[in-house]
Amino acid sequence: MLPRELVSTVGPITPGRPAEQLADPRQQALQRALAPQLGKALHGEVLAKLTDGSFVVKVADIPTRMLLPPGARVGADVPLTLVAVQPRPTFQIGTGTPVFSEAGPPLPEGADPAKAPLLMREGATAAGVGRAAALLQAAAAGAASLAGGAESRHTTLSRTGQAIGGVLAAAAKAETPQTAALGRTPVVAAASLDAASIAQGLQQAVGKSGLFYESHVAEWAQGARALADLNAEPQQQAAREGQRPLPTDPATAQFINLQLATQEQAHLSWQGNLWPGQPMQLEVRREVDEEQEGQGEGEEAAARAWHSRLRLTFPGLGDVDARLTLVGGALQLRVSASEDSAALLRHNQPSLAGALDAAGTPLAAFEVRSTGEPDKGKP
């Protein structure tokens, strides 16, 4: 028999609610289509109003379905800023007091909106997720206020939400958006073919770029990172020089926005000099199959795909654009170069494959095209 005090705490059973299907292919396609617009000020064209009160809004030539504040009309132009892509695309509506709304793909033709409600996500917990979670919390709070009808006009955001909204608004005012972390010193001191030195230099360049400063501070507080490592990052250097950049300063806001985008999209962009006088652009993106996320650490690592893009201009080879995909320890490589350089790369493919095999990374696919040829591969 159960103890009396345990029985007395049992409450009534409430009906189960269907789980939100975040892995819906149409939702994933919408997220991929909107991802390049993250942090940008956009204009939404209201195309239609559905029977459940939601609207079909065209943003960057992409139709979406979202809730709008009271008074929205078909044909109106709505100023929007995309502030998040995951777990759902989230827009800041207007330029005044921040109001946020999540977006989904339009309903299939003939679907009943009443049977497919546009779900609004409740406030997220900021613990352990940092700035990105705080952004989602602010966005969700604003989205929830949309459902309150006229009362939403008197809804106020938390200090965190207001701070994030102010940063995003300041970032949108910058004439030239910052899309990559900038390297202040060359990756290696001189031209080199030493892959280990270049890899170590890139690791230090990205690690000291300031993109991950807050997480590094947390590691330092736990004794897992030396203070000397923090002193090499721009935020710490500014603090030591007595500078206190304001979050609403366009340059500071741009960098914070870049931090949020890096965290949100698992997409890192860096540009600087590989060695003195040799500019380089690097992009790294992690892709994880959502169906594999619940598996063990080893199984998830095997399912993880890393996409990288490396762009350089060499004196002899000219422009070289290399795209690499690493899946399960195997490398897929696609290179775009001038016609002469492309022929040279094809000729040396066996040497490359042999070197990769010796390093334990087999070459699973290799494609070289001349600049100007259509690229049929995945971007």
Side-chain angles (χ1 to χ4, degrees):
M1 179 178 294
L2 293 174
R4 182 185 301 273
E5 59 272 16
L6 178 59
V7 175
S8 63
T9 61
V10 177
I13 298 176
T14 56
R17 299 178 61 186
E20 181 180 0
Q21 297 182 358
L22 290 179
D24 176 61
R26 298 174 65 248
Q27 180 72 22
Q28 292 177 339
L30 177 63
Q31 291 169 328
R32 288 194 296 268
L34 288 174
Q37 309 300 328
L38 186 65
K40 296 182 180 180
L42 306 167
H43 289 279
E45 179 185 356
V46 183
L47 300 180
K49 183 176 181 179
L50 305 180
T51 56
D52 66 340
S54 64
F55 292 83
V56 177
V57 183
K58 185 168 68 172
V59 184
D61 292 327
I62 303 169
T64 66
R65 180 181 174 217
M66 67 176 70
L67 297 177
L68 296 178
R73 297 286 184 269
V74 175
D77 184 78
V78 182
L80 302 169
T81 300
L82 182 63
V83 299
V85 177
Q86 297 287 351
R88 278 178 171 270
T90 304
F91 290 91
Q92 176 184 330
I93 303 175
T95 57
T97 301
V99 178
F100 299 84
S101 178
E102 292 181 336
L107 295 172
E109 185 176 357
D112 183 2
K115 296 181 180 179
L118 182 64
L119 300 181
M120 306 306 292
R121 191 175 286 275
E122 296 180 357
T125 303
V129 187
R131 293 176 185 241
L135 171 61
L136 292 177
Q137 183 181 27
S145 72
L146 288 174
E151 296 179 357
S152 64
R153 301 175 185 175
H154 307 289
T155 301
T156 58
L157 292 177
S158 66
R159 291 185 178 180
T160 299
Q162 294 175 11
I164 293 294
V167 168
L168 293 175
K173 294 179 181 179
E175 296 182 0
T176 304
Q178 183 177 355
T179 58
L182 303 179
R184 293 166 292 168
T185 59
V187 172
V188 292
S192 172
L193 297 179
D194 186 354
S197 298
I198 293 176
Q200 182 180 7
L202 276 175
Q203 182 180 14
Q204 293 181 355
V206 173
K208 297 177 181 178
S209 66
L211 281 176
F212 310 101
Y213 176 72
E214 286 73 16
S215 63
H216 292 170
V217 170
E219 292 175 357
W220 167 77
Q222 297 171 0
R225 182 175 290 269
L227 182 60
D229 291 341
L230 288 181
N231 290 338
E233 300 195 39
Q235 293 94 328
Q236 187 73 357
Q237 292 178 353
R240 295 177 66 186
E241 295 171 0
Q243 302 177 12
R244 296 178 60 88
L246 295 176
T248 53
D249 174 75
T252 304
Q254 283 266 66
F255 192 79
I256 294 175
N257 190 40
L258 181 62
Q259 288 182 293
L260 291 171
T262 302
Q263 178 81 359
E264 180 72 17
Q265 301 182 47
H267 184 172
L268 182 146
S269 297
W270 180 92
Q271 64 182 41
N273 282 336
L274 179 57
W275 49 71
Q278 179 57 64
M280 180 184 74
Q281 293 178 316
L282 173 68
E283 298 178 24
V284 180
R285 176 171 58 89
R286 185 187 66 185
E287 180 179 305
V288 179
D289 187 344
E290 294 184 6
E291 296 181 357
Q292 305 288 340
E293 287 188 345
Q295 298 182 1
E297 182 177 350
E299 294 174 315
E300 181 180 337
R304 179 180 299 158
W306 290 91
H307 302 277
S308 302
R309 184 176 184 181
L310 191 64
R311 284 174 285 187
L312 305 104
T313 300
F314 291 107
L317 295 176
D319 293 336
V320 176
D321 187 341
R323 305 191 186 195
L324 306 89
T325 300
L326 185 65
V327 184
L331 179 67
Q332 303 171 18
L333 175 61
R334 293 188 296 118
V335 182
S336 173
S338 65
E339 186 173 351
D340 291 341
S341 298
L344 181 63
L345 290 169
R346 294 189 190 99
H347 177 74
N348 287 277
Q349 176 186 352
S351 299
L352 173 63
L356 288 171
D357 283 335
T361 305
L363 184 62
F366 182 81
E367 175 188 351
V368 179
R369 66 183 183 91
S370 301
T371 303
E373 292 182 13
D375 186 359
K376 301 179 181 179
K378 182 179 178 180

